[in-house]
Amino acid sequence: MKTTSVSAADLSASVLSVPPLARDAQGSPSKAENRRQVDWLRSGDVTTYLYGGNANLYNFGVVDFGRLLDLLEEIAPADGWMIPSIGADFGKAADQAAILRERAFPTAMVLPLSFPATPAGLASGFSKLADISGRPLIAYIKNDGFMEAADVARLFRDGAISAVKYAVVRPDPKNDPYLAEILAAVGSGERIVSGIGERPAIDHMEMGLTAFTSGSVCVAPHLSTAILKAGREGRFADARAIRESFLPLEDLRDAHSPIRVLHEAVRLAGICETGPIGDFLTNLDGAERLEAIAKAAQELKAKSEAATAGAPRQSARA
């Protein structure tokens, strides 16, 4: 497992997958099922695993946080980069950061808190959390004006953050004054990651962002990796053509809940048994809805498998 400090090259080396957290019938994280998910991702050259919103870590307690870190260490491929998340409120984030301080994870993402919070308060809180954890963190910017662009740049300079996951939804991703302001303040997009999956990722890469996070990569890692590779090589038309395969599942995620649909999609595609989704959320139900998710997920997975037919396979584990 990666334990070295985070570089810009690390951020662009792989799609940053954002998997669901597979749980057993009692709601505890399942080592075997989460390993199946990670091994499937690794088969598509995905080596970065960010456990955050799709894993429902917003509602994950402090008492079990150390055991979650144990699990991530145990299921990591030899070349894998595991990124846990902390927060969203400051008190829980601080307690989790203290646990993280004694571990080898090079960073963690701070889940976004919109209320009660102010931009200046968030910037101050990020500095404190970096001090408590003893390492730079990843800022997750999900709302317009979450933090001042100048404060984002200062947090980078001070070593309090190592990256930004930018996930403000726009009708036109290229028409985004807030992102433009952050890029101007920071001076480069090499540590800014597009954080809303495949749909806006290509536009963001054209704007200079280094890579992208994805939930649907958990169903189709080979295709998502192909989008990243095409974008890095400037083949944006090719990247957009590949992206078309993701849109049926992404449309369902937008319609019914990105977290809940992905949780079922991974299960219905036969990748791993995801189980209960965790507290304060409920698994999706309804035969018609689940049939639509199953169809989209299974077709997407089949296309991903077809994309790798005949390609050399790399070993996932040392």
Side-chain angles (χ1 to χ4, degrees):
M1 185 182 82
K2 172 181 167 59
T3 58
T4 55
S5 59
V6 179
S7 69
D10 291 326
L11 294 166
S12 62
S14 164
V15 177
L16 284 80
S17 65
V18 189
L21 184 64
R23 303 170 189 257
D24 62 24
Q26 289 70 46
S28 297
S30 166
K31 185 191 301 184
E33 296 305 313
N34 284 296
R35 177 172 280 154
R36 286 179 65 198
Q37 170 74 95
V38 166
D39 286 349
W40 169 242
L41 284 162
R42 184 62 189 81
S43 76
D45 292 334
V46 176
T47 55
T48 306
Y49 317 96
L50 169 57
Y51 287 82
N54 289 338
N56 194 18
L57 292 197
Y58 287 94
N59 294 310
F60 202 88
V62 175
V63 172
D64 292 328
F65 187 64
R67 287 192 286 273
L68 175 65
L69 298 182
D70 291 341
L71 182 146
L72 297 184
E73 290 175 343
E74 290 166 6
I75 68 173
D79 60 353
W81 178 18
M82 291 289 178
I83 308 172
S85 294
I86 61 175
D89 68 89
F90 180 83
K92 188 171 82 168
D95 290 343
Q96 291 170 326
I99 296 169
L100 193 67
R101 188 180 187 93
E102 306 304 318
R103 309 298 283 263
F105 296 85
T107 190
M109 186 175 74
V110 181
L111 294 166
L113 183 71
S114 57
F115 175 85
T118 61
L122 287 164
S124 173
F126 270 81
S127 295
K128 292 176 182 177
L129 291 172
D131 287 341
I132 295 167
S133 67
R135 69 210 66 202
L137 300 168
I138 296 175
Y140 185 178
I141 296 180
K142 195 174 176 64
N143 299 309
D144 217 1
F146 180 76
M147 265 193 290
E148 296 293 333
D151 284 333
V152 174
R154 178 178 57 77
L155 290 170
F156 272 118
R157 289 195 303 271
D158 292 348
I161 61 174
S162 57
V164 167
K165 179 181 189 287
Y166 185 84
V168 180
V169 177
R170 307 287 189 194
D172 176 4
K174 287 185 175 179
N175 183 13
D176 190 336
Y178 185 37
L179 177 56
E181 188 179 359
I182 291 172
L183 287 170
V186 173
S188 166
E190 67 177 7
R191 288 184 178 267
I192 315 292
V193 174
S194 177
I196 331 172
E198 285 78 8
R199 198 186 297 272
I202 300 164
D203 286 340
H204 281 165
M205 284 193 287
E206 286 184 300
M207 295 171 68
L209 273 61
T210 186
F212 61 93
T213 70
S214 170
S216 291
V217 66
C218 298
V219 176
H222 314 86
L223 292 181
S224 197
T225 294
I227 291 174
L228 178 63
K229 184 175 187 292
R232 281 198 306 239
E233 295 172 355
R235 295 184 289 107
F236 296 114
D238 290 344
R240 287 187 170 87
I242 300 166
R243 183 182 58 189
E244 289 298 310
S245 295
F246 287 86
L247 297 185
L249 182 58
E250 287 295 291
D251 287 344
L252 288 166
R253 295 183 71 201
D254 290 344
H256 302 300
S257 164
I259 295 173
R260 297 167 75 204
V261 169
L262 181 67
H263 197 85
E264 303 306 329
V266 167
R267 174 181 67 84
L268 292 166
I271 294 160
C272 72
E273 181 54 58
T274 48
I277 198 167
D279 292 316
F280 275 13
L281 283 176
T282 53
N283 290 63
L284 283 172
D285 56 13
E288 183 176 348
R289 184 183 297 169
L290 290 176
E291 285 172 9
I293 294 169
K295 181 176 185 294
Q298 290 164 11
E299 289 179 355
L300 180 58
K301 185 189 178 208
K303 289 178 181 179
S304 192
E305 290 171 323
T308 193
R313 297 290 292 272
Q314 299 185 38
S315 173
R317 302 194 177 274

